[in-house]
Structure formats: C-alpha cells, structure tokens
Amino acid sequence: MVELDIQVPLAYDPFAEVQDSEAPGTKEYIHVRIQQRNGKKSLTTVQGLKKDYSYEKILKDLKKDFCCNGNVVQDKVLGKIIQLQGDQRKKVSQFLVQTGIAKKDQIKIHGF
C-alpha cells in the first residue's frame, strides 16, 4: 500500500470573532421549545430572556392570558426558564412581540 502524507487542518471556527463582538448580527435569541411529557401532555419552555426582566411578572401575565399553569425554574447552566403547560409556542412568541420584550427575528421556535 502507498502511504500518503496528508495533513489534516485544525478545526477553524469562522464565528469566533463574531461571538466576542457587539456587531448587529450577534443578538441573543429567545428560545421557545416544547417538551413532550406522557401521552398528549406537553410543556412549553421559554429561555433566553434578559436578566433585567421580572420573570415572575411575565409568567403571571402569560398564565392569565393563556389560561394555563406554569412556573419559573432555575437551571445552573441556562439560568431562569419559564415553563407553561400545553403547547403555547405561537401564543408566547406573539405575546413577547406585542409587549415589546423581543422582536420577531429574535425569537426561535423549536419542536415538532
């Protein structure tokens, strides 16, 4: 067999400089996800809100508007996460845009 002398390039991250800068394209996203529980039951989670917002007040308004239960969970890695019962992804994204908490292009909806 012939042995080839090939050098594999090192891993290059093209976004390394962008993550450190405050350029317009480096905005923080708000992630709205759905988690399947047992059977037809599901949870909607909202993470990535700014820390200056009062999560409890946002949760209170979400629960009142959507007629569902929910709570705020503290995660070691992700920070505070809002959990709501049921599939509320579209409603939550509309609520965040209407109240001015986030712009439509800052919200990422995940699931199904």
Side-chain angles (χ1 to χ4, degrees):
M1 295 215 48
V2 177
E3 290 188 33
L4 300 175
D5 187 23
I6 299 175
Q7 257 188 326
V8 177
L10 297 175
Y12 173 71
D13 186 10
F15 301 107
E17 308 92 30
V18 177
Q19 291 173 353
D20 297 333
S21 68
E22 292 297 323
T26 61
K27 57 187 163 222
E28 291 292 323
Y29 288 108
I30 296 174
H31 298 278
V32 181
R33 293 186 172 91
I34 188 166
Q35 291 179 337
Q36 192 69 34
R37 286 183 29 208
N38 46 359
K40 296 191 310 184
K41 309 286 184 188
S42 61
L43 280 177
T44 302
T45 60
V46 181
Q47 78 180 52
L49 294 173
K50 293 182 182 176
K51 294 181 177 149
D52 355 331
Y53 293 127
S54 171
Y55 283 73
E56 285 74 23
K57 288 183 180 179
I58 294 173
L59 176 65
K60 184 178 179 181
D61 290 341
L62 288 171
K63 287 167 55 173
K64 189 173 182 180
D65 287 352
F66 306 153
C67 299
C68 67
N69 201 3
N71 61 353
V72 177
V73 177
Q74 180 67 37
D75 188 49
K76 293 179 183 176
V77 178
L78 303 173
K80 288 187 176 182
I81 299 173
I82 295 177
Q83 289 184 341
L84 297 169
Q85 286 183 345
D87 186 5
Q88 311 289 347
R89 291 174 293 172
K90 290 182 182 177
K91 293 179 186 177
V92 167
S93 65
Q94 289 173 355
F95 175 84
L96 294 174
V97 171
Q98 286 175 354
T99 55
I101 295 174
K103 296 178 184 168
K104 189 172 179 112
D105 59 341
Q106 290 178 316
I107 299 173
K108 297 268 186 181
I109 298 178
H110 304 277
F112 305 142

